[in-house]
Amino acid sequence: MPTLIKNGRVIDPASRTDRVADVLIEDGKIAGVGQDLSAAGAEVFDAAGLIVAPGFIDMHVHLREPGFEHAETIESGSRAAAAGGFTSVCCMPNTKPVNDSATVTSYIVERARNKAVVNVFPIGAITKGSAGEELAAIGAMKAAGAVAISDDGKPVMNARVMRRAMEFARSYDLPIIQHCEDLNLSAGGDMHEGAASVRWGLRGIPAASEDVMVARDLLLAQLTGARYHVAHISTRNSVAMVAQAQKLGLPVTCEATPHHFALSDERMPAYDSNYKMKPPLRSACDATAVMDGLASGTIGAIATDHAPHPGSEKMQEFERCPFGIIGFETAIALAIEDLVAPAKITLTRLVELFTTGPEAVMRLGRGTLAPGAPGDVTIFGTEIEWTYDVNQSHSRSRNSPFHGRTFRGGPVATVVNGEFIWKRV
Ligand SMILES: [Zn+2]
């Protein structure tokens, strides 16, 4: 059955489109964007007053399967992604076992094919077991469907190993994504090192622990020519260094999470584990630098770093509980409220940050409404008011700092391969 989305404001940066139009999807592919389209027997959705965009891509998520199904599964995570307006997600390899071989990559691809409501693209590990020593089976993982390599959560500390990994990534034409953290500098830290950590007596994670790794890796990227991507960038110095590398013409990119521009260490309740993540919430000054980077183009993508942890683990004392928060369902709303509403970025830029930006790094063949493209569409509104109740989340986990917050703006419906997989009720 064809799908016809009528009367929305179609914003498709890839084809420089921004006008009120209809979008027709047939046989799972975009059939056309234009005025007064019709198709016999089509499912019609009236998008008047709403934005209609190419399906949003979240290039940094944790689906926890295999191995941690009590926290999330490919199925539950994909439903949470759909409820956040995402049609494609790229999942990090820190599962159990780690996705460091074609066997695990194939397992994820197969589970996603049978269970997921959105498109799932696995990211393979850089090193075996993400232990930072021996390179993983990069070529075999690529052949099995891996779209990038990363040891996310476990930075590659050994510069020699990282250099070799970049050389491999380059020869396989894969992006290499680093969680930038010098573990010696951050050791024992629970939150950003600043006035708040001192006040609350918590051990700090200095901004420099991110910056020194970014600096080292940018030099290695220059040496190797690899397509290098900084995950969840969070400090002003790191943003400045990436901007400088881009100016030199290096194929270097980075992403930022909604929480790193929407929150800061001074804007979190003391000892609340729903505000504990890595990198930690930085200073207000760093959050401003992240917003400026998203506006200027230095930061090309917004990614959630959706990191589910079950309540039993997040309910421990602050120092003991794991790092990470869930993020799918609040991402668009935070981007609208904190970036678009205060006029820091335009709506077109917002759509770029969720479509062409991540597509440029991951090369999934998505992120556009061009005829023939996959029939993936994200429909969202800037005026709708809604309250986030984490207990209604599609995720298996509840660790969000945004529970109970009323938002203006957010996802309204999600279409994958021409089928509505989620609608706001
Ligand atoms: Zn990470």
Side-chain angles (χ1 to χ4, degrees), residues 60 152-153 179 232:
H60 185 149
D152 184 44
H179 165 124
H232 42 51

Side-chain angles (χ1 to χ4, degrees), residues 27-242:
D27 300 323
K29 301 212 178 305
I30 303 292
V33 176
Q35 307 299 319
D36 301 317
L37 299 183
S38 63
E43 176 178 4
V44 177
F45 183 94
D46 183 10
L50 301 173
I51 316 290
V52 177
F56 282 11
I57 300 163
D58 190 344
M59 62 175 291
H60 185 149
V61 318
H62 300 272
L63 297 179
R64 303 299 191 216
E65 185 180 357
F68 304 101
E69 287 84 353
H70 56 296
E72 197 77 286
T73 62
I74 289 170
E75 180 176 12
S76 65
S78 80
R79 290 193 181 280
F86 293 100
T87 60
S88 295
V89 301
C90 303
C91 57
M92 285 295 178
N94 59 338
T95 46
K96 198 165 140 191
V98 169
N99 181 14
D100 60 2
S101 70
T103 312
V104 183
T105 305
S106 301
Y107 176 82
I108 294 168
V109 168
E110 194 54 32
R111 288 292 285 178
R113 186 176 298 142
N114 294 323
K115 297 284 182 186
V117 295
V118 303
N119 309 295
V120 174
F121 299 94
I123 296 171
I126 297 173
T127 61
K128 282 187 186 157
S130 287
E133 288 158 16
E134 257 180 280
L135 292 187
I138 297 169
M141 289 189 295
K142 181 181 177 179
V147 292
I149 53 170
S150 178
D151 276 349
D152 184 44
K154 293 196 171 171
V156 180
M157 286 290 289
N158 184 320
R160 187 165 167 274
V161 173
M162 191 60 178
R163 177 195 179 169
R164 290 279 289 145
M166 284 190 184
E167 286 165 353
F168 267 76
R170 188 182 170 179
S171 63
Y172 286 109
D173 195 22
L174 287 171
I176 180 164
I177 302 171
Q178 176 84 295
H179 165 124
C180 291
E181 175 187 356
D182 183 306
L183 295 172
N184 297 311
L185 275 173
S186 64
D190 292 305
M191 67 175 289
H192 177 61
E193 181 178 298
S197 69
V198 171
R199 196 157 60 235
W200 300 337
L202 291 169
R203 281 174 298 180
I205 300 172
S209 65
E210 178 168 323
D211 302 334
V212 298
M213 193 62 114
V214 170
R216 182 202 78 177
D217 280 0
L218 290 174
L219 292 167
L220 294 175
Q222 189 171 29
L223 179 66
T224 60
R227 286 198 279 136
Y228 172 73
H229 181 86
V230 180
H232 42 51
I233 201 162
S234 74
T235 73
R236 59 184 185 278
N237 281 331
S238 290
V239 175
M241 286 187 282
V242 168

Side-chain angles (χ1 to χ4, degrees), residues 354-380:
F354 284 110
T355 59
T356 50
E359 170 64 24
V361 181
M362 306 304 269
R363 300 181 182 171
L364 310 175
R366 287 162 198 274
T368 173
L369 294 175
D376 297 352
V377 179
T378 294
I379 302 170
F380 67 99

